[in-house]
Amino acid sequence: MILLLCVTTAVAVAVVVRRDRPPADPHVHAAAQQTRQLLTAVDVFPHRLHRNDYQRSAFGSAWTDAVSVAGGGNGCDTRNDILGRDLVEVHTGAVDTCGRAVLTGRLRSPYTGEWIVFRRGRTAGAVQIDHIVALALAWDMGAWAWPADRRADLANDPANLIAVDAASNQAKSDAPPGRWMPPLAAFRCRYAIQFVTVVAAYGLAVDADSREVLDDVLARC
């Protein structure tokens, strides 16, 4: 009876793990291996050096359209660009900052897998736009020395932005991968790929713990 119970429990655990970590997607696997190569060229600091002089305003006006990255200058603020990209069942309408602003929609948060209903107005904060490489982290890892336009590009680059649930965004704050990864294990490969892609493209450094975590995640994709 005890043996049967153990076997049954093991099967149940295996099912949970497979649901949380589905079989490797060959496209994600290939991207992960390429990203591991990118990671080898990223500068590594022994640890994060907190400068204590970070200000959000150093990265320009929040969600400004006046940037040179994808989506910049399209007549719509960055927040609505990302909501329109990441939400489903979207209904749009005109507001001051965007002629096709997202009014309603639904989001399956990539960090948790939970569905969230979005409605513009008082409850809009249930869906937040996360900087995969947090701006405060980027500041500490090299962005403090950049010109203003490059910082604004990072803050509004779609490659560095993703719509998520508010709780996960707040729990992450400005933590690097060595201290925080998405709770949903099935999304960690894509998160690591995007994180490394952004730091490599912008010439940012990573701390040693985060480099180890990123490499381990990518190796398992």
Side-chain angles (χ1 to χ4, degrees), residues 2 10 31 37 43 56 63 75 86 128 137 156-157 167 169 183 195 197-199:
I2 293 176
Q37 292 300 311
D43 289 340
R56 174 62 179 84
W63 311 131
D86 292 353
Q128 297 184 3
L137 175 63
N156 294 277
D157 192 334
N169 191 37
F195 190 97
T197 297
V198 171
V199 297

Side-chain angles (χ1 to χ4, degrees), residues 18-105:
R18 287 171 185 163
R19 285 177 181 168
D20 198 35
R21 299 180 70 99
D25 182 319
H27 300 292
V28 174
H29 174 76
Q33 300 318 302
Q34 293 173 359
T35 304
R36 289 187 79 192
Q37 292 300 311
L38 278 181
L39 184 58
T40 63
V42 172
D43 289 340
V44 180
F45 292 169
H47 53 83
R48 179 180 179 179
L49 303 174
H50 288 273
R51 291 181 51 88
N52 298 319
D53 58 352
Y54 163 75
Q55 292 184 345
R56 174 62 179 84
S57 58
F59 289 81
S61 301
W63 311 131
T64 178
D65 189 39
V67 289
S68 60
V69 293
N74 67 359
C76 194
D77 63 276
T78 304
R79 175 175 167 79
N80 275 293
D81 284 342
I82 302 304
L83 290 173
R85 182 194 70 184
D86 292 353
L87 272 62
V88 297
E89 299 175 11
V90 167
H91 292 84
T92 63
V95 299
D96 291 343
T97 59
C98 182
R100 55 185 183 284
V102 175
L103 304 180
T104 63

